[in-house]
Amino acid sequence: MRHNKKFNHLSRTASHRQAMLANMSISLIMHKRITTTLAKAKALKKYVELLITKSKEDTTNSRRVVFSYLQNKYAVTELFKEISVKVANRPGGYTRIIKTGFRPSDNAQMCFIELVDYDENMAKQAVKKTRTRRSKKSAAATTPAEEVATDAPVVETPAEEATEAKAE
């Protein structure tokens, strides 16, 4: 049985894996986007999202816990000062993995992992109206035909003008 065997060991010892993930987390926090293999990115996503969630609460204890993972005071400062402010209202999903193809030398699947709130290109595309069930009911009350009739300018044809003149 595979109880409690969910994380990828990445063919490394525990200490090597821990150091590698800490270094990659520091790079991601400082640069906001890094390029790596898909397996490492998936492992890093679990590692760094826990730290970002912890950084939402700016207390001495949470800073010490995050520092115990990262061991870099500049990255901890960046995480608590800038990143935690940007993700304060986000309930999770702080990172995004985008596949970029295969590495030529060993054909490993490559990708880049980035912090979601720091990508300006995706932020422009993501601006859209959100609807709730309540707004659908109010939108259903006004039919599209009524909206068109009120928004469109009224243009009378010559035939309508002639019938109006005769009626008068």
Side-chain angles (χ1 to χ4, degrees), residues 90-162:
R90 183 178 286 275
Y94 312 112
T95 57
R96 174 189 300 128
I97 296 175
I98 298 177
K99 297 176 185 177
T100 58
F102 296 92
R103 187 163 48 200
S105 62
D106 62 352
N107 210 28
Q109 193 168 10
M110 297 298 289
C111 67
F112 59 82
I113 182 170
E114 65 185 359
L115 296 174
V116 171
D117 294 322
Y118 283 90
D119 188 15
E120 292 81 21
N121 298 331
M122 297 297 272
K124 291 176 187 173
Q125 296 172 359
V127 176
K128 60 181 179 181
K129 286 194 234 177
T130 58
R131 285 186 149 178
T132 61
R133 286 185 174 261
R134 248 175 292 170
S135 66
K136 285 184 181 179
K137 288 181 184 176
S138 64
T142 61
T143 61
E146 292 173 4
E147 292 174 6
V148 171
T150 58
D151 293 342
V154 178
V155 178
E156 293 184 5
T157 61
E160 290 174 355
E161 290 175 5

Side-chain angles (χ1 to χ4, degrees), residues 3-154:
H3 293 303
N4 204 16
K5 296 187 182 292
K6 290 184 179 179
F7 60 92
N8 191 349
H9 294 287
L10 301 171
S11 299
R12 287 164 172 81
T13 62
S15 59
H16 184 188
R17 187 173 55 252
Q18 184 179 1
M20 182 191 66
L21 290 174
N23 288 333
M24 290 174 70
S25 298
I26 293 166
S27 297
L28 181 64
I29 290 166
M30 298 305 276
H31 301 292
K32 313 301 187 261
R33 174 190 284 185
I34 59 171
T35 302
T36 183
T37 62
L38 185 63
K40 287 180 187 174
K42 287 180 178 179
L44 178 63
K45 183 174 181 128
K46 290 180 183 179
Y47 189 87
V48 80
E49 289 204 1
L50 173 103
L51 299 177
I52 295 172
T53 302
K54 198 71 168 167
S55 73
K56 283 183 168 184
E57 184 183 354
D58 192 4
T59 61
T60 305
N61 184 50
S62 61
R63 280 183 178 265
R64 286 177 178 168
V65 169
V66 170
F67 184 77
S68 73
Y69 281 91
L70 295 180
Q71 296 293 314
N72 185 321
K73 63 182 179 180
Y74 301 111
V76 172
T77 303
E78 176 85 10
L79 182 63
F80 278 88
K81 293 269 178 167
E82 292 184 22
I83 297 172
S84 65
V85 173
K86 270 201 158 182
V87 300
N89 59 353
R90 183 178 286 275
Y94 312 112
T95 57
R96 174 189 300 128
I97 296 175
I98 298 177
K99 297 176 185 177
T100 58
F102 296 92
R103 187 163 48 200
S105 62
D106 62 352
N107 210 28
Q109 193 168 10
M110 297 298 289
C111 67
F112 59 82
I113 182 170
E114 65 185 359
L115 296 174
V116 171
D117 294 322
Y118 283 90
D119 188 15
E120 292 81 21
N121 298 331
M122 297 297 272
K124 291 176 187 173
Q125 296 172 359
V127 176
K128 60 181 179 181
K129 286 194 234 177
T130 58
R131 285 186 149 178
T132 61
R133 286 185 174 261
R134 248 175 292 170
S135 66
K136 285 184 181 179
K137 288 181 184 176
S138 64
T142 61
T143 61
E146 292 173 4
E147 292 174 6
V148 171
T150 58
D151 293 342
V154 178

